[in-house]
Amino acid sequence: MPDFQPKIVAFVCTWCTYAGADLAGTSRIKYEPNVKIIRFPCTGRIDFMFLLKSFAYGADGVIVSGCHPNDCHYTSGNFHARRRWIVFRELVDLLGMDINRLCFSWVSAAEGAQWAEIVNSFTEQVRTLGPYKEYRELAEKDKK
Amino acid sequence: MESIRKKAKELLEKNAVQVIIGYGEGLDKSVSAIFVRKPENAETLIFDDRCVHNLAVYLLKNEIKALGKPCIIAHLAALRTILQLASEHQITEDDVLVLGVTHKGELMEFAGFKDIEKYIASANIDISENEKEIINKLEAMTREERWQFWVEHLSLKCIKCYACRAACPLCYCSRCQVEYNQPQWITVEATPVGIIEWHITRAMHIAGRCVSCGECYRACPMNIPINLLNYLTVLTIKEKFNVSAGTSADLDSVMSSFKSDDKENFIKQS
Amino acid sequence: MNIEKKILKYSSLEELVLKLNRDGKQVFAPVKKDNIVDFAPVSGLYEMAEDYIVTVQSAKFVVFPNVETLFEIETSKDKITLKDKDFNSIPEIILLGTRPCDAAGFNILNAMFGGDYQDTIYSARLDKTTLVSISCNKSDAKCFCTSVNGNPGATAGSDILLTRIDNNDFLAEIVTEKGKAIVSKYPELFETVPEINKDKYMADVPVEFNLNGISEKIYSRFDSDIWLEQSLRCIGCGTCAFICPTCGCFDIQDAYDGYSGQRKRSWDSCGFSLFTLHASGHNPRNVQSQRWRQRIMHKFVYLPEQQNLLGCVGCGRCSRSCSANMNLKELLIHLKNVIENE
């Protein structure tokens, strides 16, 4: 579907990935504009409900990104996040949600180019997958 | 069964406990939890193959706590529940006298939680082969087939009665997330995606704490195999973090702790 | 009251289901799926379950669904549009296979949603609903309709009552105008009947207790210990209220995403711990025994006083689906014994 522009939401931590995305910007690295970045203090604060609600409200893909292990600004927030993602991913996979639409990454403040690369490749991946119609159709039923 | 009745009578006569939480039989021969407070009523306690309910759910109920110190007739899952509740600081050794029962109906007297831990270490706490097979079957389906399965069996069937929550001994929050509307994370109404969000939320909140007692499935009036979601988290946590709930009264909360070398294969990094 | 009787042959009932579907009605009947029997739309009689006492859920979903959108709101910069319920979108529904206890349950809901204030959505749904009930040729230990003014062949609340007679055919009692309308529309399916006494086809449901005149006595035991004793094993879920044919408590919530949304009504249960939580934080029924007492009082004291109706039809669903095995029949017998012996 060449005309399909996926909607991607990215939940990122302030101190690493957000700064990395900022660096990509100041370095004038071009990357796909489909992503809406939402800034959190730490990946440890990111509740799995944010991801579910994103899909319900129209996202086709979700990125969650933070500091590398041992580099968390709050020491261990990303370690808690990692455990949460490990379990969450298996759970929603069993439910039949499309885990190819979930992208988890560690991107540091110095990794502007890597951020652009992750956004580009994930956008392509979601573009190939197409819109997350089956979830949204079910979510539309909620509104009846 | 006789040994349970005898012990129960003795405990009540000595006033070592004020209530026995055990199994009894109704007029139509169906089994339910009973709360024996008089020694002469110890005769009404039973124990047989039908006694599968996890009685530990009653340990944290206010009106039962108000009766005094309980003695609980606890099978393996209930024993694990008691240890898990202890590790979460909801009960102490002094709060409850535990009479364990093996699946053969043999009575076990425990001096304290350490004794229970020893018994559990020697017992098989795996999820049953039957259930593992169902999970394997689900995992062997395509993603779309799995989604169809859960939409059909969960989204379009669940009536949001919260029997699964009420029956689960680990769901003891005095105010559940569904009972807040600022913010309203979980819809009140039984709408398709709202239902999925509720069950994911409950599975994530129980992750690392589930003792696979199966009460959630037994309680569901619509016969939805809701326990499979929780069992998946049990299997994942055992495989990835090597922890099982309810094996010790000193267990760290699995999802509130971490190891710096927790392994995964899906996080992108350079 | 002279109720017309007809014979509806099994093959004619098959025809009737097909014709009703063809003529734009939705036919709901008990269907067995995943080991439970519950109402589902059927296009043919073959889909209907044969062997059931009652369905797991009651039939109240046709007039009082689990989720009901009351109205929709759209906001834009300069205006707010309120879209009322589109009554034309409410489908015509034929309920096939309700039991006499299910049909009796409608009377109580009608009193709750009618009376001084007519709930227009409920009434609209009720108007479009026809009950073709099937009387009971068997019962189980949890049934007790005969102890609460019902019986397995009662016609109250049904538009047509079918009784299975010999050869798998049915005796059809045409109870109401809606029932007569079906017979007029499909006269070829209904045959004249010789005198048939339906009593011999009825299940035997022995009367276990009589609650007449006991409301005051139950009320006088408001502070008794019996409520605690009976409710110790109740885990406080919403199953009994949700599947009960006479329970009509609901919650109303707004579901908006900031710019648009709906106001929805959904089932609620007096058994939930926060059912009576006030905005101040005070909860007048903050323990399960008070909530159990309220359930019994509502059904057996307050409703009889206010509406002259017993709030229970003895279907036994609550007892069958309760995971804590709160057997209502047993508990009522126990209550009555305690009251009469104190």
Side-chain angles (χ1 to χ4, degrees), chain B residues 27-28 30-33 35 58 63 152-153 157 159-161 163 166 179 184 188-190 219 221-223, chain C residues 33-35 38 57 66-67 142 228 232-233 235 237-239 242 253 266 272 274 287-289 323 325 330:
Chain B
L27 286 175
D28 65 345
S30 46
V31 174
S32 67
F35 303 85
Y58 295 109
E63 285 187 297
E152 190 189 312
H153 287 89
K157 245 185 154 198
I159 58 174
K160 287 279 218 78
C161 66
E179 287 159 345
Q184 185 89 53
V188 171
E189 311 87 32
M222 307 304 288
N223 231 20
Chain C
K33 194 161 179 255
D34 301 321
N35 280 324
D38 214 5
Q57 288 195 82
N66 194 344
V67 184
K142 305 259 195 324
L228 176 67
L232 278 174
R233 63 182 185 271
I235 56 175
C237 69
T239 297
F242 280 29
Q253 285 270 318
S266 60
F272 287 142
L274 300 188
V287 285
Q288 204 63 47
S289 59
S323 63
N325 209 14
E330 263 183 52

Side-chain angles (χ1 to χ4, degrees), chain C residues 47 61 94 110 136 161 199 213 220 311 333-335 341:
Chain C
E47 293 175 67
F61 68 91
I94 315 285
N110 292 349
C136 305
L161 178 67
D199 288 339
S220 71
I333 294 174
H334 176 235
L335 178 64
N341 294 328

Side-chain angles (χ1 to χ4, degrees), chain C residues 16-283:
Chain C
L16 182 60
V17 173
L18 292 171
K19 286 188 167 161
L20 287 167
N21 269 293
R22 183 202 63 197
D23 293 338
K25 312 272 195 285
Q26 279 188 24
V27 181
F28 278 82
V31 171
K32 183 155 188 175
K33 194 161 179 255
D34 301 321
N35 280 324
I36 59 165
V37 177
D38 214 5
F39 283 104
V42 298
S43 44
L45 186 62
Y46 65 92
E47 293 175 67
M48 184 168 128
E50 292 279 307
D51 191 22
Y52 67 100
I53 306 283
V54 284
T55 47
V56 166
Q57 288 195 82
S58 72
K60 70 185 178 189
F61 68 91
V62 291
V63 288
F64 175 50
N66 194 344
V67 184
E68 178 86 81
T69 303
L70 301 177
F71 55 75
E72 296 173 50
I73 289 197
E74 279 289 330
T75 58
S76 63
K77 200 166 57 143
D78 48 0
K79 68 179 179 142
I80 300 176
T81 321
L82 190 141
K83 216 171 97 183
D84 250 326
K85 183 128 204 129
D86 175 15
F87 288 96
N88 292 326
S89 70
I90 294 176
E92 299 238 3
I93 291 186
I94 315 285
L95 276 174
L96 172 63
T98 36
R99 298 296 191 195
C101 52
D102 298 327
F106 279 84
N107 282 337
I108 289 126
L109 290 177
N110 292 349
M112 273 185 215
F113 288 96
D116 291 344
Y117 175 77
Q118 276 288 334
D119 186 303
T120 48
I121 298 178
Y122 179 93
S123 307
R125 288 193 183 280
L126 186 66
D127 277 342
K128 295 203 179 174
T129 301
T130 307
L131 263 73
V132 180
S133 308
I134 303 182
S135 62
C136 305
N137 55 12
K138 59 182 168 132
S139 64
D140 71 9
K142 305 259 195 324
C143 292
F144 59 97
C145 59
T146 48
S147 306
V148 287
N149 302 337
N151 77 69
T155 53
S158 300
D159 297 300
I160 296 180
L161 178 67
L162 299 176
T163 298
R164 208 175 208 120
I165 54 178
D166 306 316
N167 301 324
N168 252 350
D169 295 332
F170 295 93
L171 167 70
E173 290 172 271
I174 318 301
V175 186
T176 64
E177 290 303 319
K178 271 189 193 157
K180 287 189 189 143
I182 291 196
V183 178
S184 323
K185 188 145 189 218
Y186 309 100
E188 71 282 7
L189 300 176
F190 293 86
E191 300 169 20
T192 49
V193 54
E195 250 324 295
I196 290 186
N197 181 357
K198 73 179 188 188
D199 288 339
K200 69 175 184 172
Y201 300 101
M202 290 300 147
D204 177 29
V205 186
V207 178
E208 307 270 359
F209 53 82
N210 185 330
L211 288 172
N212 286 337
I214 209 161
S215 294
E216 281 146 25
K217 291 200 186 136
I218 297 178
Y219 188 68
S220 71
R221 300 298 191 278
F222 195 82
D223 293 315
S224 159
D225 283 336
I226 192 177
W227 310 111
L228 176 67
E229 208 182 305
Q230 289 195 341
S231 67
L232 278 174
R233 63 182 185 271
C234 172
I235 56 175
C237 69
T239 297
C240 56
F242 280 29
I243 64 179
C244 170
T246 70
C247 277
C249 282
F250 55 83
D251 192 3
I252 296 185
Q253 285 270 318
D254 289 346
Y256 297 130
D257 64 8
Y259 300 103
S260 65
Q262 312 85 37
R263 176 164 292 176
K264 292 201 175 116
R265 176 173 72 193
S266 60
W267 290 347
D268 205 346
S269 163
C270 59
F272 287 142
S273 59
L274 300 188
F275 185 70
T276 46
L277 181 67
H278 294 177
S280 63
H282 171 61
N283 187 351

Side-chain angles (χ1 to χ4, degrees), chain B residues 19-24 31-36 52-73 75 78 81-82 85 90-91 95-96 163 165-172 213 215 219, chain C residues 228-237 288 322-326:
Chain B
V19 59
I20 313 277
I21 306 175
Y23 301 92
V31 174
S32 67
I34 61 171
F35 303 85
V36 178
V52 294
H53 313 79
N54 187 342
L55 299 178
V57 69
Y58 295 109
L59 288 175
L60 297 182
K61 296 223 177 275
N62 288 331
E63 285 187 297
I64 291 167
K65 280 158 88 170
L67 296 175
K69 178 170 176 173
C71 161
I72 179 172
I73 309 295
H75 55 33
T81 310
I82 290 166
L85 290 174
Q90 296 302 310
I91 53 172
D95 289 335
V96 59
R165 174 188 72 169
C168 175
L170 276 316
C171 265
Y172 54 74
C213 66
E215 277 306 307
Chain C
L228 176 67
E229 208 182 305
Q230 289 195 341
S231 67
L232 278 174
R233 63 182 185 271
C234 172
I235 56 175
C237 69
Q288 204 63 47
C322 175
S323 63
N325 209 14
M326 298 283 281

Side-chain angles (χ1 to χ4, degrees), chain B residues 131-146:
Chain B
E131 270 134 3
K132 269 201 214 150
E133 207 189 298
I134 302 177
I135 294 184
N136 287 338
K137 257 204 211 120
L138 279 171
E139 287 176 339
M141 292 182 190
T142 65
R143 179 194 72 74
E144 288 84 350
E145 285 170 340
R146 271 202 298 281

